[in-house]
Amino acid sequence: MNGKKFLLVIVTIAVVFWAWQVSKTNAPTVDLSNETLYPNLLDQVNEIDTVLIRSSGAATELKRSGESWTISNRDNFPAKFDSVKSTILKVAEATVIERKTAVAEKYATLGVNDPTEEDDAKGVRLDISGKSGDELVSLIIGNERQGRALGDANYYVRRVADEASYLVAGELDISAQVDDWLDADIADIDTERVKSITITPDGEDPVIIAKEKPSDNFFTVQNIPAGFKAKSRATVSSLGALMLSLRFEDVISASHIASSSPRGRIVAQTFDGLKAFFERYDYEDNEYVKISFSYDEISAIVSEAVEGESTEADEQLSVAEEVKALNAKTDGWLYKLPDFKMRMLDKRLSDLIEPAEDEEPADAADPALN
């Protein structure tokens, strides 16, 4: 080996050794032990009493009520049981991948600064307490790791009492928004079932739309005064979808308006005897609707039995049971409905009718007769 080749080998070895030393010095502290963040949480499931989730702009407090869960900051409205169960399991199963920064000034980069202390914090704080008030979990869930090649989701987190932050494996997509914990479905009654809808604004003439049989495609205005006619059939008939996919945006206890009178009332009736009653109330700069149901057996029209599989008694019982289930869900609550549903309740008779034009005489319309 000549001198030049020998020198090249020496230089190459030196460069490789230097690069190895640098990488060793700058390598992060890695903990691949797969330890869970809260190893005892699964054993403490039956002791959990409260789950508090907060972000810089929202908060949800979940409270155990027997075998179910309620939302404390929505007057104890029932929470989605499966969502609560899933959240606890997600936290219990989250495993540590590696240790990250313990420098407070760098928390915001990972999203693990406390949203209850900093208004611009991007993370979510999760606090889980036991029946005696003891702290079981106090965790800040920061940013999801981007550009990951692994199949599992990875999040940056920090236990509130711990200076160090961590990268963990687990689906920690936990929301502090109340509406993510509500079962917002109220009813879903097909337009074909609807026989009539009567809208009675406080102190005004009612709006009555109806159709003769379920197969009719359009509703008609029933109380058109002389000299007027109905506007678009489509506009009138759209009111028949009032109870179709009926959901709410927010909810409070009806006890808030216990001493108030409704400022408007709507009654919807189906061909098979179901009646729905909507009462409108104003409360703290918002409008809410109280909804209840009844079964009118006398006015029910029962379909003929098909191949002996259903009878008139079976059909009546089915609607009666439906009403019972609906009342069990809506009793004691006031709902804030979506704007497009509220516009249906806002309809006035003047919105659906217009002056009727006088028909032109037949002889004036035919030039040949002039």
Side-chain angles (χ1 to χ4, degrees):
M1 181 182 294
N2 59 37
K4 288 183 178 180
K5 289 184 177 180
F6 179 75
L7 180 61
L8 180 60
V9 170
I10 295 298
V11 170
T12 301
I13 293 173
V15 169
V16 171
F17 179 77
W18 174 82
W20 176 76
Q21 286 287 345
V22 169
S23 64
K24 182 179 179 182
T25 302
N26 294 335
T29 302
V30 177
D31 179 9
L32 297 177
S33 61
N34 287 327
E35 291 185 357
T36 56
L37 278 172
Y38 294 97
N40 299 321
L41 187 58
L42 282 180
D43 295 330
Q44 299 168 321
V45 165
N46 292 331
E47 297 301 315
I48 295 175
D49 182 70
T50 304
V51 177
L52 178 59
I53 311 160
R54 290 172 287 179
S55 67
S56 59
T60 298
E61 184 177 41
L62 306 167
K63 190 79 172 175
R64 185 190 291 272
S65 176
E67 297 300 318
S68 60
W69 286 83
T70 63
I71 304 174
S72 298
N73 52 327
R74 282 302 180 274
D75 293 330
N76 293 317
F77 188 83
K80 295 178 182 177
F81 177 84
D82 288 344
S83 296
V84 181
K85 177 182 176 182
S86 173
T87 294
I88 295 171
L89 289 177
K90 286 176 182 178
V91 177
E93 295 173 353
T95 56
V96 176
I97 296 175
E98 63 183 19
R99 187 179 187 274
K100 289 298 186 180
T101 185
V103 179
E105 288 76 15
K106 296 183 179 181
Y107 288 164
T109 303
L110 302 182
V112 295
N113 47 329
D114 195 335
T116 67
E117 297 178 357
E118 301 178 34
D119 291 339
D120 59 348
K122 305 301 182 184
V124 171
R125 176 166 172 170
L126 173 68
D127 292 278
I128 300 178
S129 304
K131 295 177 181 178
S132 59
D134 51 317
E135 177 186 290
L136 304 180
V137 170
S138 189
L139 181 69
I140 298 169
I141 302 168
N143 303 333
E144 183 176 7
R145 184 184 184 183
Q146 301 300 314
R148 56 184 173 84
L150 301 176
D152 295 333
N154 299 163
Y155 282 84
Y156 297 104
V157 304
R158 182 173 63 86
R159 288 177 288 232
V160 173
D162 192 348
E163 291 183 351
S165 56
Y166 297 88
L167 177 66
V168 301
E171 293 284 352
L172 297 179
D173 51 337
I174 299 171
S175 173
Q177 298 290 335
V178 170
D179 53 1
D180 288 328
W181 299 91
L182 296 167
D183 180 1
D185 293 327
I186 302 174
D188 189 14
I189 297 174
D190 193 271
T191 307
E192 184 175 322
R193 289 177 62 187
V194 178
K195 179 180 180 181
S196 66
I197 293 179
T198 302
I199 303 173
T200 308
D202 190 19
E204 298 186 29
D205 292 333
V207 177
I208 305 172
I209 67 165
K211 60 182 181 180
E212 292 184 359
K213 53 185 182 296
S215 59
D216 289 346
N217 292 323
F218 296 98
F219 289 82
T220 58
V221 181
Q222 301 296 296
N223 56 328
I224 301 178
F228 287 84
K229 65 177 183 179
K231 291 182 180 179
S232 164
R233 288 196 304 175
T235 300
V236 172
S237 298
S238 66
L239 300 179
L242 174 61
M243 298 183 291
L244 182 66
S245 299
L246 184 61
R247 295 170 56 86
F248 65 83
E249 292 184 343
D250 205 352
V251 61
I252 60 173
S253 171
S255 62
H256 292 293
I257 50 87
S259 59
S260 303
S261 299
R263 67 176 184 83
R265 197 167 191 256
I266 298 88
V267 180
Q269 182 169 344
T270 67
F271 286 97
D272 52 11
L274 181 145
K275 278 189 174 182
F277 304 90
F278 297 73
E279 294 180 332
R280 304 177 63 177
Y281 294 88
D282 293 320
Y283 179 73
E284 291 188 350
D285 299 326
N286 284 303
E287 183 173 353
Y288 294 90
V289 178
K290 185 178 180 181
I291 305 175
S292 59
F293 299 85
S294 71
Y295 176 55
D296 186 355
E297 183 177 353
I298 296 176
S299 65
I301 295 179
V302 181
S303 301
E304 293 183 0
V306 179
E307 297 179 352
E309 293 183 0
S310 64
T311 65
E312 179 173 329
D314 291 337
E315 189 71 19
Q316 291 177 350
L317 182 61
S318 175
V319 177
E321 290 180 336
E322 179 186 17
V323 165
K324 182 178 179 180
L326 288 169
N327 279 328
K329 179 185 294 187
T330 62
D331 185 38
W333 300 105
L334 294 175
Y335 301 107
K336 185 176 185 296
L337 301 182
D339 287 343
F340 76 99
K341 292 292 186 182
M342 291 306 301
R343 286 195 292 271
M344 294 181 181
L345 305 183
D346 275 329
K347 291 299 182 185
R348 303 294 192 266
L349 187 58
S350 58
D351 297 326
L352 303 179
I353 61 175
E354 60 186 359
E357 297 179 359
D358 293 333
E359 293 185 4
E360 189 175 13
D363 56 352
D366 189 349
L369 299 178
N370 295 326

